[in-house]
PDB file of all heavy atoms in Angstrom:
ATOM      1  N   PHE A 392      -9.485 -45.543   6.807  1.00 98.00           N
ATOM      2  CA  PHE A 392      -9.110 -44.718   5.653  1.00 98.00           C
ATOM      3  C   PHE A 392      -8.961 -45.586   4.405  1.00 98.00           C
ATOM      4  O   PHE A 392      -9.461 -45.236   3.323  1.00 98.00           O
ATOM      5  CB  PHE A 392      -7.809 -43.964   5.941  1.00 98.00           C
ATOM      6  CG  PHE A 392      -7.279 -43.189   4.768  1.00 98.00           C
ATOM      7  CD1 PHE A 392      -7.611 -41.851   4.602  1.00 98.00           C
ATOM      8  CD2 PHE A 392      -6.445 -43.790   3.820  1.00 98.00           C
ATOM      9  CE1 PHE A 392      -7.128 -41.130   3.521  1.00 98.00           C
ATOM     10  CE2 PHE A 392      -5.969 -43.079   2.740  1.00 98.00           C
ATOM     11  CZ  PHE A 392      -6.304 -41.737   2.585  1.00 98.00           C
ATOM     12  N   ASP A 393      -8.278 -46.711   4.538  1.00 98.00           N
ATOM     13  CA  ASP A 393      -8.042 -47.577   3.383  1.00 98.00           C
ATOM     14  C   ASP A 393      -9.351 -48.104   2.808  1.00 98.00           C
ATOM     15  O   ASP A 393      -9.527 -48.184   1.581  1.00 98.00           O
ATOM     16  CB  ASP A 393      -7.132 -48.742   3.768  1.00 98.00           C
ATOM     17  CG  ASP A 393      -5.680 -48.307   3.965  1.00 98.00           C
ATOM     18  OD1 ASP A 393      -5.307 -47.237   3.427  1.00 98.00           O
ATOM     19  OD2 ASP A 393      -4.940 -49.022   4.656  1.00 98.00           O
ATOM     20  N   ARG A 394     -10.292 -48.454   3.678  1.00 98.00           N
ATOM     21  CA  ARG A 394     -11.588 -48.927   3.182  1.00 98.00           C
ATOM     22  C   ARG A 394     -12.316 -47.806   2.435  1.00 98.00           C
ATOM     23  O   ARG A 394     -12.919 -48.051   1.375  1.00 98.00           O
ATOM     24  CB  ARG A 394     -12.442 -49.435   4.346  1.00 98.00           C
ATOM     25  CG  ARG A 394     -12.038 -50.808   4.853  1.00 98.00           C
ATOM     26  CD  ARG A 394     -13.116 -51.414   5.741  1.00 98.00           C
ATOM     27  NE  ARG A 394     -13.332 -50.606   6.955  1.00 98.00           N
ATOM     28  CZ  ARG A 394     -12.624 -50.746   8.068  1.00 98.00           C
ATOM     29  NH1 ARG A 394     -11.638 -51.640   8.135  1.00 98.00           N
ATOM     30  NH2 ARG A 394     -12.889 -50.001   9.114  1.00 98.00           N
ATOM     31  N   ALA A 395     -12.252 -46.606   2.975  1.00 98.00           N
ATOM     32  CA  ALA A 395     -12.897 -45.476   2.301  1.00 98.00           C
ATOM     33  C   ALA A 395     -12.203 -45.165   0.983  1.00 98.00           C
ATOM     34  O   ALA A 395     -12.864 -44.847  -0.027  1.00 98.00           O
ATOM     35  CB  ALA A 395     -12.875 -44.252   3.216  1.00 98.00           C
ATOM     36  N   TYR A 396     -10.887 -45.256   0.965  1.00 98.00           N
ATOM     37  CA  TYR A 396     -10.122 -44.986  -0.256  1.00 98.00           C
ATOM     38  C   TYR A 396     -10.492 -45.972  -1.357  1.00 98.00           C
ATOM     39  O   TYR A 396     -10.582 -45.605  -2.541  1.00 98.00           O
ATOM     40  CB  TYR A 396      -8.626 -45.065   0.056  1.00 98.00           C
ATOM     41  CG  TYR A 396      -7.731 -44.756  -1.116  1.00 98.00           C
ATOM     42  CD1 TYR A 396      -7.313 -43.446  -1.369  1.00 98.00           C
ATOM     43  CD2 TYR A 396      -7.290 -45.764  -1.975  1.00 98.00           C
ATOM     44  CE1 TYR A 396      -6.481 -43.164  -2.446  1.00 98.00           C
ATOM     45  CE2 TYR A 396      -6.470 -45.483  -3.052  1.00 98.00           C
ATOM     46  CZ  TYR A 396      -6.064 -44.189  -3.284  1.00 98.00           C
ATOM     47  OH  TYR A 396      -5.247 -43.900  -4.369  1.00 98.00           O
ATOM     48  N   ASP A 397     -10.756 -47.223  -0.986  1.00 98.00           N
ATOM     49  CA  ASP A 397     -11.072 -48.254  -1.975  1.00 98.00           C
ATOM     50  C   ASP A 397     -12.529 -48.250  -2.419  1.00 98.00           C
ATOM     51  O   ASP A 397     -12.902 -48.998  -3.336  1.00 98.00           O
ATOM     52  CB  ASP A 397     -10.732 -49.640  -1.405  1.00 98.00           C
ATOM     53  CG  ASP A 397      -9.238 -49.840  -1.244  1.00 98.00           C
ATOM     54  OD1 ASP A 397      -8.468 -49.191  -1.980  1.00 98.00           O
ATOM     55  OD2 ASP A 397      -8.838 -50.624  -0.363  1.00 98.00           O
ATOM     56  N   ASP A 398     -13.353 -47.406  -1.806  1.00 98.00           N
ATOM     57  CA  ASP A 398     -14.768 -47.347  -2.143  1.00 98.00           C
ATOM     58  C   ASP A 398     -14.981 -46.342  -3.277  1.00 98.00           C
ATOM     59  O   ASP A 398     -14.802 -45.131  -3.090  1.00 98.00           O
ATOM     60  CB  ASP A 398     -15.578 -46.926  -0.913  1.00 98.00           C
ATOM     61  CG  ASP A 398     -17.082 -46.944  -1.161  1.00 98.00           C
ATOM     62  OD1 ASP A 398     -17.503 -47.133  -2.316  1.00 98.00           O
ATOM     63  OD2 ASP A 398     -17.832 -46.740  -0.190  1.00 98.00           O
ATOM     64  N   PRO A 399     -15.386 -46.813  -4.478  1.00 97.00           N
ATOM     65  CA  PRO A 399     -15.557 -45.883  -5.607  1.00 97.00           C
ATOM     66  C   PRO A 399     -16.580 -44.782  -5.335  1.00 97.00           C
ATOM     67  O   PRO A 399     -16.491 -43.697  -5.917  1.00 97.00           O
ATOM     68  CB  PRO A 399     -16.029 -46.799  -6.743  1.00 97.00           C
ATOM     69  CG  PRO A 399     -15.618 -48.177  -6.341  1.00 97.00           C
ATOM     70  CD  PRO A 399     -15.670 -48.201  -4.851  1.00 97.00           C
ATOM     71  N   ALA A 400     -17.527 -45.025  -4.431  1.00 98.00           N
ATOM     72  CA  ALA A 400     -18.566 -44.026  -4.163  1.00 98.00           C
ATOM     73  C   ALA A 400     -18.000 -42.751  -3.557  1.00 98.00           C
ATOM     74  O   ALA A 400     -18.639 -41.693  -3.620  1.00 98.00           O
ATOM     75  CB  ALA A 400     -19.625 -44.617  -3.230  1.00 98.00           C
ATOM     76  N   ASN A 401     -16.808 -42.839  -2.978  1.00 98.00           N
ATOM     77  CA  ASN A 401     -16.217 -41.660  -2.340  1.00 98.00           C
ATOM     78  C   ASN A 401     -15.499 -40.732  -3.315  1.00 98.00           C
ATOM     79  O   ASN A 401     -14.991 -39.686  -2.894  1.00 98.00           O
ATOM     80  CB  ASN A 401     -15.234 -42.095  -1.246  1.00 98.00           C
ATOM     81  CG  ASN A 401     -15.942 -42.596  -0.006  1.00 98.00           C
ATOM     82  OD1 ASN A 401     -16.983 -42.059   0.378  1.00 98.00           O
ATOM     83  ND2 ASN A 401     -15.395 -43.636   0.608  1.00 98.00           N
ATOM     84  N   TRP A 402     -15.470 -41.080  -4.591  1.00 98.00           N
ATOM     85  CA  TRP A 402     -14.656 -40.303  -5.525  1.00 98.00           C
ATOM     86  C   TRP A 402     -15.476 -39.611  -6.605  1.00 98.00           C
ATOM     87  O   TRP A 402     -14.952 -39.213  -7.632  1.00 98.00           O
ATOM     88  CB  TRP A 402     -13.597 -41.217  -6.163  1.00 98.00           C
ATOM     89  CG  TRP A 402     -12.684 -41.763  -5.104  1.00 98.00           C
ATOM     90  CD1 TRP A 402     -12.691 -43.020  -4.577  1.00 98.00           C
ATOM     91  CD2 TRP A 402     -11.673 -41.043  -4.405  1.00 98.00           C
ATOM     92  NE1 TRP A 402     -11.744 -43.137  -3.592  1.00 98.00           N
ATOM     93  CE2 TRP A 402     -11.091 -41.937  -3.471  1.00 98.00           C
ATOM     94  CE3 TRP A 402     -11.178 -39.739  -4.475  1.00 98.00           C
ATOM     95  CZ2 TRP A 402     -10.065 -41.562  -2.616  1.00 98.00           C
ATOM     96  CZ3 TRP A 402     -10.149 -39.357  -3.629  1.00 98.00           C
ATOM     97  CH2 TRP A 402      -9.606 -40.265  -2.707  1.00 98.00           C
ATOM     98  N   GLY A 403     -16.750 -39.427  -6.362  1.00 97.00           N
ATOM     99  CA  GLY A 403     -17.608 -38.803  -7.372  1.00 97.00           C
ATOM    100  C   GLY A 403     -17.352 -37.321  -7.563  1.00 97.00           C
ATOM    101  O   GLY A 403     -17.546 -36.780  -8.664  1.00 97.00           O
ATOM    102  N   PHE A 404     -16.914 -36.632  -6.509  1.00 98.00           N
ATOM    103  CA  PHE A 404     -16.661 -35.191  -6.581  1.00 98.00           C
ATOM    104  C   PHE A 404     -15.872 -34.769  -5.340  1.00 98.00           C
ATOM    105  O   PHE A 404     -15.819 -35.508  -4.348  1.00 98.00           O
ATOM    106  CB  PHE A 404     -17.977 -34.399  -6.675  1.00 98.00           C
ATOM    107  CG  PHE A 404     -18.959 -34.695  -5.567  1.00 98.00           C
ATOM    108  CD1 PHE A 404     -18.891 -34.046  -4.334  1.00 98.00           C
ATOM    109  CD2 PHE A 404     -19.974 -35.632  -5.751  1.00 98.00           C
ATOM    110  CE1 PHE A 404     -19.787 -34.322  -3.322  1.00 98.00           C
ATOM    111  CE2 PHE A 404     -20.879 -35.915  -4.731  1.00 98.00           C
ATOM    112  CZ  PHE A 404     -20.783 -35.261  -3.510  1.00 98.00           C
ATOM    113  N   PRO A 405     -15.253 -33.606  -5.354  1.00 98.00           N
ATOM    114  CA  PRO A 405     -14.530 -33.130  -4.169  1.00 98.00           C
ATOM    115  C   PRO A 405     -15.519 -32.825  -3.039  1.00 98.00           C
ATOM    116  O   PRO A 405     -16.602 -32.290  -3.292  1.00 98.00           O
ATOM    117  CB  PRO A 405     -13.838 -31.846  -4.643  1.00 98.00           C
ATOM    118  CG  PRO A 405     -13.884 -31.897  -6.133  1.00 98.00           C
ATOM    119  CD  PRO A 405     -15.101 -32.678  -6.495  1.00 98.00           C
ATOM    120  N   PRO A 406     -15.165 -33.153  -1.805  1.00 98.00           N
ATOM    121  CA  PRO A 406     -16.116 -32.967  -0.705  1.00 98.00           C
ATOM    122  C   PRO A 406     -16.528 -31.513  -0.476  1.00 98.00           C
ATOM    123  O   PRO A 406     -17.633 -31.251  -0.016  1.00 98.00           O
ATOM    124  CB  PRO A 406     -15.381 -33.529   0.508  1.00 98.00           C
ATOM    125  CG  PRO A 406     -13.942 -33.556   0.127  1.00 98.00           C
ATOM    126  CD  PRO A 406     -13.912 -33.765  -1.349  1.00 98.00           C
ATOM    127  N   ALA A 407     -15.647 -30.574  -0.796  1.00 98.00           N
ATOM    128  CA  ALA A 407     -15.971 -29.160  -0.599  1.00 98.00           C
ATOM    129  C   ALA A 407     -16.745 -28.565  -1.761  1.00 98.00           C
ATOM    130  O   ALA A 407     -17.137 -27.394  -1.700  1.00 98.00           O
ATOM    131  CB  ALA A 407     -14.697 -28.346  -0.363  1.00 98.00           C
ATOM    132  N   ARG A 408     -16.999 -29.366  -2.813  1.00 97.00           N
ATOM    133  CA  ARG A 408     -17.691 -28.852  -4.001  1.00 97.00           C
ATOM    134  C   ARG A 408     -18.700 -29.850  -4.549  1.00 97.00           C
ATOM    135  O   ARG A 408     -18.559 -30.356  -5.669  1.00 97.00           O
ATOM    136  CB  ARG A 408     -16.663 -28.499  -5.087  1.00 97.00           C
ATOM    137  CG  ARG A 408     -15.809 -27.284  -4.754  1.00 97.00           C
ATOM    138  CD  ARG A 408     -14.748 -27.058  -5.811  1.00 97.00           C
ATOM    139  NE  ARG A 408     -13.949 -25.871  -5.538  1.00 97.00           N
ATOM    140  CZ  ARG A 408     -12.775 -25.603  -6.107  1.00 97.00           C
ATOM    141  NH1 ARG A 408     -12.267 -26.462  -6.985  1.00 97.00           N
ATOM    142  NH2 ARG A 408     -12.110 -24.503  -5.804  1.00 97.00           N
ATOM    143  N   PRO A 409     -19.749 -30.159  -3.792  1.00 97.00           N
ATOM    144  CA  PRO A 409     -20.798 -30.994  -4.379  1.00 97.00           C
ATOM    145  C   PRO A 409     -21.346 -30.324  -5.637  1.00 97.00           C
ATOM    146  O   PRO A 409     -21.546 -29.104  -5.650  1.00 97.00           O
ATOM    147  CB  PRO A 409     -21.863 -31.047  -3.273  1.00 97.00           C
ATOM    148  CG  PRO A 409     -21.109 -30.783  -2.005  1.00 97.00           C
ATOM    149  CD  PRO A 409     -20.030 -29.815  -2.388  1.00 97.00           C
ATOM    150  N   PRO A 410     -21.559 -31.065  -6.705  1.00 97.00           N
ATOM    151  CA  PRO A 410     -21.927 -30.434  -7.976  1.00 97.00           C
ATOM    152  C   PRO A 410     -23.313 -29.813  -8.000  1.00 97.00           C
ATOM    153  O   PRO A 410     -23.574 -28.915  -8.795  1.00 97.00           O
ATOM    154  CB  PRO A 410     -21.820 -31.583  -8.978  1.00 97.00           C
ATOM    155  CG  PRO A 410     -21.955 -32.825  -8.163  1.00 97.00           C
ATOM    156  CD  PRO A 410     -21.344 -32.510  -6.845  1.00 97.00           C
ATOM    157  N   ASN A 411     -24.212 -30.285  -7.134  1.00 96.00           N
ATOM    158  CA  ASN A 411     -25.556 -29.744  -7.125  1.00 96.00           C
ATOM    159  C   ASN A 411     -26.231 -30.124  -5.812  1.00 96.00           C
ATOM    160  O   ASN A 411     -25.665 -30.867  -4.987  1.00 96.00           O
ATOM    161  CB  ASN A 411     -26.365 -30.259  -8.319  1.00 96.00           C
ATOM    162  CG  ASN A 411     -26.291 -31.779  -8.443  1.00 96.00           C
ATOM    163  OD1 ASN A 411     -26.563 -32.510  -7.493  1.00 96.00           O
ATOM    164  ND2 ASN A 411     -25.898 -32.265  -9.623  1.00 96.00           N
ATOM    165  N   ALA A 412     -27.457 -29.617  -5.621  1.00 96.00           N
ATOM    166  CA  ALA A 412     -28.169 -29.857  -4.368  1.00 96.00           C
ATOM    167  C   ALA A 412     -28.464 -31.343  -4.149  1.00 96.00           C
ATOM    168  O   ALA A 412     -28.493 -31.815  -3.005  1.00 96.00           O
ATOM    169  CB  ALA A 412     -29.460 -29.055  -4.348  1.00 96.00           C
ATOM    170  N   ALA A 413     -28.673 -32.086  -5.214  1.00 96.00           N
ATOM    171  CA  ALA A 413     -28.966 -33.511  -5.074  1.00 96.00           C
ATOM    172  C   ALA A 413     -27.787 -34.291  -4.505  1.00 96.00           C
ATOM    173  O   ALA A 413     -27.962 -35.364  -3.940  1.00 96.00           O
ATOM    174  CB  ALA A 413     -29.388 -34.093  -6.420  1.00 96.00           C
ATOM    175  N   GLN A 414     -26.570 -33.740  -4.652  1.00 96.00           N
ATOM    176  CA  GLN A 414     -25.366 -34.404  -4.151  1.00 96.00           C
ATOM    177  C   GLN A 414     -24.871 -33.805  -2.836  1.00 96.00           C
ATOM    178  O   GLN A 414     -23.783 -34.131  -2.379  1.00 96.00           O
ATOM    179  CB  GLN A 414     -24.253 -34.302  -5.205  1.00 96.00           C
ATOM    180  CG  GLN A 414     -24.539 -35.064  -6.480  1.00 96.00           C
ATOM    181  CD  GLN A 414     -24.603 -36.551  -6.245  1.00 96.00           C
ATOM    182  OE1 GLN A 414     -23.903 -37.093  -5.400  1.00 96.00           O
ATOM    183  NE2 GLN A 414     -25.468 -37.236  -6.991  1.00 96.00           N
ATOM    184  N   LEU A 415     -25.703 -32.950  -2.244  1.00 96.00           N
ATOM    185  CA  LEU A 415     -25.295 -32.275  -1.019  1.00 96.00           C
ATOM    186  C   LEU A 415     -24.881 -33.255   0.074  1.00 96.00           C
ATOM    187  O   LEU A 415     -23.955 -32.999   0.853  1.00 96.00           O
ATOM    188  CB  LEU A 415     -26.445 -31.392  -0.522  1.00 96.00           C
ATOM    189  CG  LEU A 415     -26.205 -30.570   0.729  1.00 96.00           C
ATOM    190  CD1 LEU A 415     -25.134 -29.524   0.476  1.00 96.00           C
ATOM    191  CD2 LEU A 415     -27.500 -29.904   1.174  1.00 96.00           C
TER     192      LEU A 415
END
Side-chain angles (χ1 to χ4, degrees):
F392 175 93
D393 287 339
R394 283 195 297 274
Y396 182 90
D397 291 334
D398 184 352
N401 285 323
W402 298 104
F404 55 85
R408 290 175 178 164
N411 50 53
Q414 294 295 327
L415 182 65

